[in-house]
Amino acid sequence: MPNPSGDWADRPIAVRAGRLLDVETGELRGDRVLHIRDGRVAGEAAASDGIPDDASVVDLTGLTVLPGLIDLHTHLVGDVQTADVPATTTSAAEEVLIGVRHARQTIEAGFTTVRDLGPFRAFTDCALRDAIDRGDVLGPRMRCAGAFITSPWGGGALVGLALDIELPEDLRFGIVTTVDEVRERVRRLLIGGANVIKCIGTGAVLTRGGVPGAPELSEDQIRAAVEEAAWYDAFVAVHAHGAEGAKRAIRAGARSVEHGSYLDDEAIAMLADTGTFYVSDLYDGVWALEFGGPAGWPAETMRKLGETQESTEVVFGKAVAAGVRIGFGTDSGVYPHGLNGRQFAWYVRLGMSPLAAIRSATTVAAEAMGWDDRVGSLANGRFADLVAVAGDPLTEVTVLERPVVVAKAGEVVFDARVTRPA
Ligand SMILES: [Zn+2]
């Protein structure tokens, strides 16, 4: 929280760590002290070297400390997926205020940075990000898409309403038909406060009538988005379930392919060759297949969920084996916020080592979002965002599902030892 009086603003912080996981080398070092100044890491030393008298001490002895986790694919604003057409029974203000709870749940789960890939109402995500940055609301550092760039009736459009219902502009902001419209929308999003562009390259699972394998944007349209975004130092993430849509994205220079449920061997090889990041959501499908039916989700949605989940699990294993750079993204909002860490176990089950899974949510994710100079490790100068867990995540990755302490910029924002019994 902000410190209005400023009396301890300059006071250094010393974090006593039982063990410190260096995610870059994979080394687990015992009995360490992490020094923090002005919210950033200022050095690391052995506990035996002592602690400066003026430092305030955060005691994490008995715990394993690692960098705050990153989720590259969240939807913090608005309700968690329901059987209704999204964002049509809630105002923009309600959507943001619902997001306040989701932001808290996300950071308390150890995720101190997110790349938030699209609200249905344009720019509501940016409003939440700005409130967090001001210190009004507790939540992760957010990079926001502002809206979805999507074709009419595409996976990012609101489909399922009667034909004679006219939507307000903020609910159809990212709908494009021509290449020129893509450029204009991308510009408006980035000038309006978005940090990253999200293109819906193929059909979506949760959009009624959508066919996940079918391409919905042309390669020229995606390339226009990539070129335009580059002028603003922004990257493009492309939602693509189908192989053709993913190949268009890779050829057009997208930073990441999201979902990739039906990637074929050629698409996987293209990801590996180009270094394009693959952001694979595995846990949301597991959750939705269990709870979507009882929640009244349409049979068509449940069928598509089953098909894409089965295929994604195969694709994931092949992508790991091919050396694709896989970034951790969960599509939170499809499943309830705060369960993000449950995906680690699925990454490991399907072929990753625990260290590789942790890197997908730290070093690799930071690079994917162009923030490797500030998050994703506890090297000097990085934000002092950290998570402390009980046990060794390198042998039991599920300990990441239950963080004990979470700190952002050196300040403890969650401590399970205080807020819930051990
Ligand atoms: Zn998504």
Side-chain angles (χ1 to χ4, degrees):
M1 287 294 110
N3 170 35
S5 65
D7 55 348
W8 41 261
D10 295 330
R11 203 169 161 194
I13 298 170
V15 176
R16 282 274 279 119
R19 288 186 293 193
L20 197 62
L21 175 61
D22 183 332
V23 290
E24 285 169 304
T25 62
E27 197 188 344
L28 204 52
R29 294 189 280 273
D31 248 348
R32 306 296 289 178
V33 174
L34 196 66
H35 294 287
I36 297 167
R37 242 191 204 284
D38 299 329
R40 291 177 185 265
V41 178
E44 183 201 323
S48 55
D49 290 345
I51 290 172
D53 291 341
D54 62 337
S56 63
V57 177
V58 177
D59 182 10
L60 303 180
T61 50
L63 299 173
T64 303
V65 175
L66 61 156
L69 303 167
I70 303 168
D71 191 327
L72 289 170
H73 192 134
T74 63
H75 302 280
L76 296 187
V77 163
D79 266 326
V80 173
Q81 179 71 30
T82 68
D84 297 327
V85 179
T88 50
T89 57
T90 37
S91 68
E94 287 169 312
E95 294 271 296
V96 179
L97 289 169
I98 291 168
V100 168
R101 181 175 71 240
H102 298 158
R104 179 173 51 75
Q105 291 169 323
T106 301
I107 196 167
E108 290 185 349
F111 287 80
T112 51
T113 300
V114 302
R115 193 180 60 157
D116 201 72
L117 291 185
F120 282 99
R121 288 188 186 272
F123 296 115
T124 46
D125 51 348
C126 298
L128 180 61
R129 174 201 61 201
D130 294 347
I132 291 170
D133 287 348
R134 283 195 303 269
D136 296 343
V137 165
L138 173 62
R141 303 178 195 281
M142 289 177 76
R143 300 295 275 170
C144 299
F148 305 109
I149 297 290
T150 187
S151 67
W153 300 92
L158 289 181
V159 181
L161 295 166
L163 273 175
D164 52 359
I165 288 179
E166 182 78 21
L167 292 170
E169 194 200 4
D170 71 338
L171 280 175
R172 50 184 167 80
F173 194 89
I175 295 176
V176 292
T177 51
T178 67
V179 167
D180 283 345
E181 278 176 7
V182 171
R183 291 186 186 279
E184 188 267 349
R185 284 292 110 164
V186 166
R187 242 183 343 256
R188 278 190 68 178
L189 282 166
L190 294 171
I191 290 171
N195 313 109
V196 56
I197 294 299
K198 169 78 172 298
C199 288
I200 305 296
T202 74
V205 172
L206 301 174
T207 309
R208 292 182 197 183
V211 175
E216 292 183 346
L217 291 175
S218 70
E219 191 173 323
D220 285 346
Q221 285 177 309
I222 301 171
R223 183 171 289 112
V226 170
E227 287 174 0
E228 205 61 39
W231 289 109
Y232 300 82
D233 283 331
F235 294 129
V236 175
V238 178
H239 157 116
H241 286 286
E244 171 60 22
K247 291 172 194 175
R248 292 180 187 183
I250 298 164
R251 285 194 296 260
R255 186 69 166 179
S256 63
V257 168
E258 311 293 309
H259 310 302
S261 311
Y262 297 122
L263 297 183
D264 57 18
D265 292 346
E266 186 188 24
I268 292 169
M270 287 169 70
L271 285 170
D273 290 346
T274 57
T276 309
F277 293 90
Y278 171 38
V279 177
S280 182
D281 52 316
L282 285 172
Y283 177 70
D284 57 330
V286 175
W287 188 91
L289 283 168
E290 184 172 356
F291 296 103
W297 294 15
E300 173 214 336
T301 302
M302 297 309 296
R303 173 184 57 78
K304 289 192 284 186
L305 271 168
E307 291 168 0
T308 51
Q309 183 67 20
E310 188 181 341
S311 180
T312 303
E313 292 183 11
V314 175
V315 166
F316 185 88
K318 288 184 179 178
V320 172
V324 171
R325 296 204 285 181
I326 298 176
F328 192 96
T330 65
D331 217 352
S332 68
V334 171
Y335 70 89
H337 299 271
L339 304 180
N340 316 52
R342 291 191 184 179
Q343 186 162 274
F344 286 108
W346 288 88
Y347 274 25
V348 170
R349 199 168 297 158
L350 295 172
M352 268 190 178
S353 68
L355 178 61
I358 291 167
R359 282 177 175 156
S360 78
T362 52
T363 52
V364 177
E367 198 186 341
M369 62 196 291
W371 263 21
D372 44 329
D373 59 343
R374 62 198 85 183
V375 297
S377 95
L378 293 173
N380 280 0
R382 305 294 205 288
F383 288 125
D385 300 346
L386 49 91
V387 54
V389 296
D392 178 2
L394 296 182
T395 53
E396 185 42 82
V397 82
T398 56
V399 297
L400 295 171
E401 296 173 12
R402 296 173 299 278
V404 180
V405 174
V406 181
K408 182 183 178 188
E411 290 187 46
V412 173
V413 295
F414 173 74
D415 190 339
R417 300 170 301 187
V418 177
T419 54
R420 63 172 138 92

